[in-house]
């Protein structure tokens, strides 16, 4: 994906690395300074939506929780509906859940069972692609509900963790790669 080089430098200037958060050894990518800048935030939303314009996306699924912050405006930009994918027990209506393994245990993600209709074209959005476990589980939920995964859009990909391989590199786009 070809991006405006000033967007990349502007992003790199505001994103913060927070060492040892949420646990020792993890370097957390803090996107809150980008969210606080309305022009930069808008440019990021447009960059993340751009590869999917004209692909007839009907739903954008935002992965809890920072995927909500990016996914909802991307859905508006693509004139698509927005669907939250949440940790189990957080949604009020009848849900389906997909469990996945983590290096330190297991987790799950769920969506309302009526959130995706058969043959809807779906884009999954999150802030960071690391190992791809959460995004992969979200994609499996979409497929179980009858939707078609058109792609995955991330603000940041941590390339050394190889999450794109898990999702299918041809379906993954990212604004920044580390």
């Amino acid at each position: 994906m070809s991006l405006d080089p000033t967007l990349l430098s502007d992003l790199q200037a505001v994103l913060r690395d927070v060492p040892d958060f949420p646990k020792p050894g993890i370097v957390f990518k803090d996107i809150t300074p980008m969210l606080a800048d309305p022009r930069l935030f808008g440019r990021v939303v447009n960059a993340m939506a751009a590869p999917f314009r004209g692909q007839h996306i009907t739903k954008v699924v935002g992965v809890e929780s920072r995927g909500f912050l990016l996914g909802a405006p991307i859905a508006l930009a693509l004139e698509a509906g927005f669907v939250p994918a949440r940790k189990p027990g957080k949604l009020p209506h009848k849900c389906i859940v997909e469990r996945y393994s983590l290096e330190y245990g297991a987790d799950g993600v769920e969506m309302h069972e009526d959130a995706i209709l058969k043959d809807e074209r779906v884009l999954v959005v999150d802030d960071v692609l690391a190992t791809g476990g959460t995004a992969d589980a979200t994609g499996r939920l979409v497929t179980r509900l009858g939707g078609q995964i058109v792609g995955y859009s991330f603000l940041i990909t941590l390339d050394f963790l190889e999450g794109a391989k898990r999702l299918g590199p041809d379906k993954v786009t990212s604004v920044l790669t580390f």
Side-chain angles (χ1 to χ4, degrees), residues 31 48 60-68 70-71 74 123-130 134-135 138 152-156 173:
I31 68 169
M48 291 178 71
V60 172
V61 175
V63 181
E64 186 167 331
S65 67
R66 294 184 299 172
F68 300 168
L70 297 166
I74 289 169
L123 172 64
V124 175
V125 172
D126 206 354
D127 63 326
V128 176
L129 173 60
T134 306
T138 302
Y152 298 86
S153 185
F154 299 94
L155 174 59
I156 300 167
T173 65

Side-chain angles (χ1 to χ4, degrees), residues 15-27:
L15 296 178
R16 292 187 285 227
D17 284 349
V18 181
D20 298 320
F21 183 83
K23 64 180 206 166
I26 302 288
V27 177

Side-chain angles (χ1 to χ4, degrees), residues 3-4 13 43 56 58 62 67 94 108-109 124 126 129-130 137 159 166 174-175 178:
L3 291 173
D4 171 4
R43 290 168 59 206
H56 311 289
T58 54
K94 193 169 183 184
V109 64
V124 175
D126 206 354
L129 173 60
D159 227 15
R166 185 177 197 165
S174 184
V175 176
F178 292 99

Side-chain angles (χ1 to χ4, degrees), residues 33-115:
M34 179 271 302
L35 296 170
D37 180 333
R39 287 196 184 123
L40 183 56
F41 187 18
R43 290 168 59 206
V44 165
V45 166
N46 287 330
M48 291 178 71
F52 301 97
R53 291 189 194 283
Q55 292 198 36
H56 311 289
I57 303 295
T58 54
K59 295 281 174 62
V60 172
V61 175
V63 181
E64 186 167 331
S65 67
R66 294 184 299 172
F68 300 168
L69 301 171
L70 297 166
I74 289 169
L76 290 173
L78 295 174
E79 298 181 8
F82 176 75
V83 174
R86 300 213 57 190
K87 293 192 180 294
K90 300 288 186 181
L91 291 170
H93 189 59
K94 193 169 183 184
C95 296
I96 65 168
V97 66
E98 186 71 31
R99 303 274 177 204
Y100 59 99
S101 296
L102 300 166
E103 58 276 7
Y104 50 85
D107 208 343
V109 64
E110 70 180 14
M111 287 191 295
H112 285 148
E113 68 178 10
D114 60 357

